[in-house]
Amino acid sequence: MKKIPKILGGIVVVVAVIVGIAFTLTADLPKSADAFFALVKDGKTEDAYQSTAKAFQDATSMDQFTTFLEQTGLNQYASASYNSRSFENDQGRLEGTVTLSDGTSKPIQVDLTKENGTWKVLGVNTKY
């Protein structure tokens, strides 16, 4: 009977280590997304656009980007929280909630790609 608490304690330690490693490996994903949204929040739309991945810029013009921000309300970004983050190779994904300056919240998915060692926004979806 004394072995059960030790076994359970060992399992808890292993799970905690795995969770810690996962958070460490994905820590740059929310930092990159938050830096992107900080530019949007500060009204630096062109800087936000320039900070996105090359593939994003190839597929989306600056005018389309500005229109997207206005239509989704993301130009009124206040904050975000991510309840899911994952990556495989050089592709990452965040899922969570974005809060706008008027207090409304909406689900958000941010896809990122690693370019030259830096995570960059590849896509944003508010209807996933």
Side-chain angles (χ1 to χ4, degrees):
M1 289 300 235
K2 292 181 180 181
K3 289 184 179 183
I4 291 176
K6 288 181 181 181
I7 292 171
L8 290 176
I11 291 171
V12 168
V13 169
V14 169
V15 169
V17 168
I18 291 170
V19 169
I21 290 170
F23 272 95
T24 300
L25 292 174
T26 60
D28 288 340
L29 292 172
K31 287 178 186 176
S32 295
D34 289 345
F36 166 80
F37 284 121
L39 292 170
V40 171
K41 181 179 181 178
D42 292 343
K44 297 179 179 178
T45 307
E46 186 156 344
D47 291 342
Y49 178 78
Q50 293 299 325
S51 77
T52 61
K54 181 179 180 332
F56 178 90
Q57 293 175 27
D58 289 346
T60 309
S61 71
M62 178 65 189
D63 287 339
Q64 291 170 318
F65 177 65
T66 302
T67 299
F68 170 77
L69 293 176
E70 291 169 359
Q71 289 177 342
T72 59
L74 290 176
N75 61 333
Q76 300 300 314
Y77 170 88
S79 65
S81 62
Y82 308 107
N83 54 22
S84 173
R85 51 189 183 175
S86 61
F87 77 95
E88 185 173 333
N89 299 321
D90 289 343
Q91 303 299 308
R93 175 167 289 169
L94 298 168
E95 294 178 358
T97 304
V98 65
T99 302
L100 306 179
S101 58
D102 66 2
T104 60
S105 295
K106 57 175 62 184
I108 193 159
Q109 175 181 300
V110 182
D111 291 316
L112 299 104
T113 189
K114 204 171 229 186
E115 285 184 358
N116 301 317
T118 302
W119 287 106
K120 294 191 173 196
V121 171
L122 180 61
V124 177
N125 185 348
T126 59
K127 298 177 183 176
Y128 77 98

